[in-house]
Amino acid sequence: MPLSVSVRDIQTLILSYHPVIVIETLEEERVQTLLKKATEEMSIPMFEWSIAQGLIRSPGTFNAPWVNEYAPPGTLKPAAIGNTAEPLAVLKHVQDMSIKALFWLKDFGKHFEDPETARHFREAAQLFSQKRSAFVLTGDNIELPREIEHDAVVYDLKLPDRDELSRTVKEVVRTMRHKHRTIVELEDQDMQALVQAMTGMTLKQARQVLAYAALDDGKLTTDDVERILHRKAQLIRAGGVLDYLPVEGNRVEWGGFANLKNWLGRAKVGFSPAAKALNLTPPKGILIVGIQGCGKSLAAKAIAREWKMPLLKLDAGRLYDKFVGESEKNFRKAISLAESMAPAVLWIDEIEKSLGATGSDSDGGLSRRMFGFFLTWMQEKSQEVFVVATANDISQIPPELLRKGRFDEIFYVDLPDLQERGAIFRIHLMLRKQDPSHFDMPTLLQASEGYSGAEIEQAVVAALYRALYVEKPLDTELLVQEIQGMIPLSVSRQEHLKQLRNLAQDRFMSAR
């Protein structure tokens, strides 16, 4: 979201008598830039408070004392106004001030545990609602008392967009070149590649990773893009519920799925300028249901690779949190991150486990709330985030999710046929440096009837281990022995497979 839009949003909230604005973020630098711009255009003073410095008039804002911008950092700290370091003291001071202003309170949420502080804050907020002043609360996981919640509005500060990141890249490049004599070998298209690699990062993270790449070898070149992507993958994985696979690291191969591949070829046109010119929205996503080990997860990776988009995997196990409200927050955070990295593919593996069984109240209605949020987002999203959801158990999927319009299409994946099994064998043999022409393929295809792609892969791996053990080259006989020694899902879960086929046959499109 451009800065100008965020500035207008904050100004509109203040002018519409919203006394408390909550911004859950740790990016105080961006908040400061946003609030300074908003108050400067409105010609109202801005104050900021933290327990470490007390209340100060924010430097560089309307009617604030002049500050020497060339002084070394930290040498000219603004003096606190009165004795306002304590939360209760600053609220009492603010209530006595007669001016219309914006007050930025940092990490103030934890102080609402004191009833007297909460009461004074509530009275100050009631006063603000009459004179167009406002509190802005920032921090991580801000919890407001119920009596204050109805006065507050939550403002969602999106991750930096490409314009913000582009300005940051230029600032860092300029600093590296002049202060550290860094050699910069970047054309305009290379700069855009750097910006694209940094989408999904905060400004602070972007500066740090770019400065590290430049200082490590004294150069900033196109080779640093891959290092930045690697660092971004680490940050995303450490930061929450998503795993990240960049385009450059996605080298999967898939056999079969002819019908799905044809559909994807047509759907890709929806991301083109020609489609936008006709007011066509980009495709929303697909749901892939079917038997375990038949390539549903592989399809998600292959789609991202074919479309040259980064892949984000939503881990349902890391989505749920023991604390009230945290699971929904994790989900919203994951969706926001995916949107900031658009165009991207968002893979929700085993969606029935994270958003299924919404009729149960055993979790306090958590699944139902998250399911409702997901449905609304799928219905209204405009960002180029293509959702690939996979499911093994159709019975656990809420019927609302199967309705036409939620997903662009629902595909059913069955056990691979003869031709697909041949392609799977060739892929896994070649991947492990085996020549497929040295094997009796008709014999392997007959032996693997009823086996899934994952089971065929495991047979190849196990046969190679046995070949190493007996110290002989892998051959057809060893492979057949491993295949016949396995009990495939088509046998162990025969009833489930039959039920799944009967259910999907007339309702979903075949992936073949």
Side-chain angles (χ1 to χ4, degrees), residues 321-332 366 369:
D321 194 285
K322 63 181 178 180
F323 296 108
V324 176
E326 285 303 301
S327 298
E328 296 99 314
K329 191 175 296 182
N330 287 339
F331 198 18
R332 289 194 298 269
L366 172 61
R369 293 194 300 273

Side-chain angles (χ1 to χ4, degrees), residues 31 42 319 392 412 431:
V31 173
M42 296 176 70
L319 188 64
N392 296 323
Y412 169 66
L431 185 63

Side-chain angles (χ1 to χ4, degrees), residues 57-337:
R57 191 182 284 262
S58 188
T61 58
F62 179 75
N63 277 349
W66 178 81
V67 175
N68 182 4
E69 296 181 354
Y70 299 97
T75 58
L76 294 175
K77 293 183 179 180
I81 301 172
N83 185 20
T84 55
E86 294 300 319
L88 189 58
V90 70
L91 292 177
K92 291 180 178 179
H93 184 88
V94 166
Q95 284 177 288
D96 292 336
M97 298 173 68
S98 59
I99 61 173
K100 180 174 72 174
L102 184 140
F103 297 88
W104 175 20
L105 308 182
K106 306 172 186 177
D107 301 322
F108 200 85
K110 62 190 70 175
H111 301 297
F112 288 124
E113 296 175 1
D114 174 36
E116 187 176 2
T117 300
R119 180 68 239 184
H120 274 276
F121 183 89
R122 186 179 178 189
E123 292 183 359
Q126 292 172 351
L127 183 65
F128 281 7
S129 64
Q130 301 171 13
K131 63 177 185 178
R132 286 179 174 168
S133 288
F135 287 120
V136 174
L137 305 180
T138 62
D140 190 31
N141 299 328
I142 300 175
E143 294 186 14
L144 301 178
R146 184 164 296 181
E147 61 271 18
I148 295 175
E149 272 186 342
H150 75 280
D151 285 326
V153 59
V154 177
Y155 181 75
D156 185 14
L157 183 65
K158 301 291 186 181
L159 285 165
D161 62 10
R162 284 175 174 77
D163 289 339
E164 284 184 272
L165 290 170
S166 182
R167 288 193 295 269
T168 299
V169 169
K170 291 176 182 176
E171 290 171 6
V172 174
V173 167
R174 187 165 49 248
T175 301
M176 292 294 103
R177 181 179 279 146
H178 295 301
K179 287 189 176 182
H180 302 280
R181 307 298 181 188
T182 301
I183 299 172
V184 179
E185 300 174 353
L186 296 171
E187 303 294 337
D188 288 342
Q189 63 269 25
D190 301 328
M191 295 285 281
Q192 293 304 313
L194 279 178
V195 171
Q196 177 64 33
M198 292 178 180
T199 55
M201 293 184 178
T202 65
L203 289 184
K204 182 178 181 180
Q205 289 170 341
R207 286 195 188 96
Q208 289 173 336
V209 70
L210 187 57
Y212 179 84
L215 293 172
D216 185 49
D217 57 2
K219 294 189 298 184
L220 200 56
T221 67
T222 54
D223 294 336
D224 291 313
V225 172
E226 189 165 347
R227 300 174 65 185
I228 290 171
L229 288 171
H230 177 71
R231 177 57 180 155
K232 180 163 80 170
Q234 292 177 324
L235 290 170
I236 291 175
R237 191 176 297 110
V241 296
L242 290 177
D243 285 324
Y244 170 68
L245 181 62
V247 178
E248 292 77 5
N250 192 348
R251 297 182 175 87
V252 299
E253 295 185 51
W254 56 339
F257 295 92
N259 202 29
L260 175 57
K261 289 178 180 177
N262 290 335
W263 186 92
L264 291 169
R266 297 191 302 270
K268 187 179 179 181
V269 180
F271 295 100
S272 67
K276 292 180 181 178
L278 295 174
N279 292 326
L280 294 174
T281 57
K284 297 177 181 179
I286 58 175
L287 173 62
I288 307 177
V289 299
I291 304 163
Q292 295 178 10
C294 288
K296 299 187 298 297
S297 300
L298 186 68
K301 298 177 182 178
I303 292 168
R305 181 190 178 187
E306 291 290 328
W307 287 1
K308 294 180 172 56
M309 293 181 182
L311 178 67
L312 295 163
K313 180 185 177 183
L314 181 65
D315 189 334
R318 290 152 61 189
L319 188 64
Y320 287 87
D321 194 285
K322 63 181 178 180
F323 296 108
V324 176
E326 285 303 301
S327 298
E328 296 99 314
K329 191 175 296 182
N330 287 339
F331 198 18
R332 289 194 298 269
K333 180 181 176 181
I335 295 299
S336 178
L337 180 57

